[in-house]
C-alpha cells in the first residue's frame, strides 16, 4: 500500500538511520508505490555497466533508493531534521510546514 509521501523532488533531506546516517542530500526521485526515494550522494552502490553506444563499460557508482522512513526533511530555518505538517494559508493555498520551527516549506 502506497502512503501519502510528504517529500518531493528537490527537497533537502537528512538521513536518520542506516549506513549513511547524518548525510544530507537533495531528493532526485520519489517512488510512492515502493515508499522509496533516491537521494543525491546517499546509498551509493557499485554496479557493473555493459558497454553501449554512448557509454563505456566498467564499474559505475550510483545512488540506490532508500526507504522513506529513513529520511527526514531538513528544516529551512536551522537545517535540522523535522517532521512535516500541512496547513492552509489566508489565500486558501495548502502548504507544507516544518513542525520543528513552523516555517513554511513551499513558497
Amino acid at each position: 500500500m502506497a502512503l501519502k509521501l510528504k517529500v518531493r523532488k528537490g527537497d533537502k533531506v537528512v538521513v536518520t538511520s542506516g549506513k549513511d546516517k547524518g548525510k544530507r542530500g537533495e531528493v532526485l526521485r520519489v517512488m510512492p508505490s515502493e515508499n522509496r526515494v533516491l537521494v543525491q550522494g546517499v546509498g551509493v552502490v557499485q554496479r557493473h555497466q555493459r558497454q553501449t553506444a554512448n557509454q563505456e563499460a566498467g564499474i559505475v557508482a550510483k545512488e540506490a533508493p532508500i526507504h522513506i522512513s529513513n529520511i527526514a526533511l531538513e528544516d529551512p530555518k536551522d537545517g535540522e531534521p523535522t517532521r512535516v505538517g500541512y496547513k492552509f494559508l489566508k489565500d486558501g493555498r495548502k502548504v507544507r510546514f516544518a513542525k520543528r520551527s513552523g516555517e513554511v516549506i513551499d513558497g
Side-chain angles (χ1 to χ4, degrees):
M1 182 179 116
L3 299 171
K4 167 87 169 87
L5 304 183
K6 295 182 177 182
V7 293
R8 296 181 188 157
K9 182 179 174 180
D11 283 347
K12 304 279 187 224
V13 294
V14 181
V15 179
T16 56
S17 66
K19 68 173 186 163
D20 292 321
K21 181 177 180 175
K23 283 191 180 178
R24 296 162 188 273
E26 187 176 319
V27 175
L28 302 174
R29 189 169 151 212
V30 180
M31 300 168 230
S33 60
E34 302 163 31
N35 291 325
R36 294 186 173 273
V37 290
L38 205 62
V39 182
Q40 188 174 13
V42 174
V44 177
V45 292
Q46 304 285 321
R47 290 286 178 251
H48 292 268
Q49 186 71 43
R50 180 176 285 165
Q51 186 171 355
T52 61
N54 54 5
Q55 193 169 357
E56 213 173 295
I59 299 173
V60 182
K62 62 186 204 177
E63 291 95 357
I66 61 172
H67 199 269
I68 193 78
S69 65
N70 297 333
I71 63 163
L73 212 66
E74 202 174 270
D75 195 326
K77 205 169 203 175
D78 59 5
E80 292 298 312
T82 182
R83 291 182 301 158
V84 181
Y86 289 99
K87 67 180 175 184
F88 290 93
L89 298 179
K90 297 255 189 263
D91 61 3
R93 288 187 300 142
K94 183 180 180 182
V95 293
R96 296 179 300 161
F97 74 97
K99 289 200 173 183
R100 180 184 173 90
S101 65
E103 195 83 13
V104 174
I105 296 164
D106 307 319

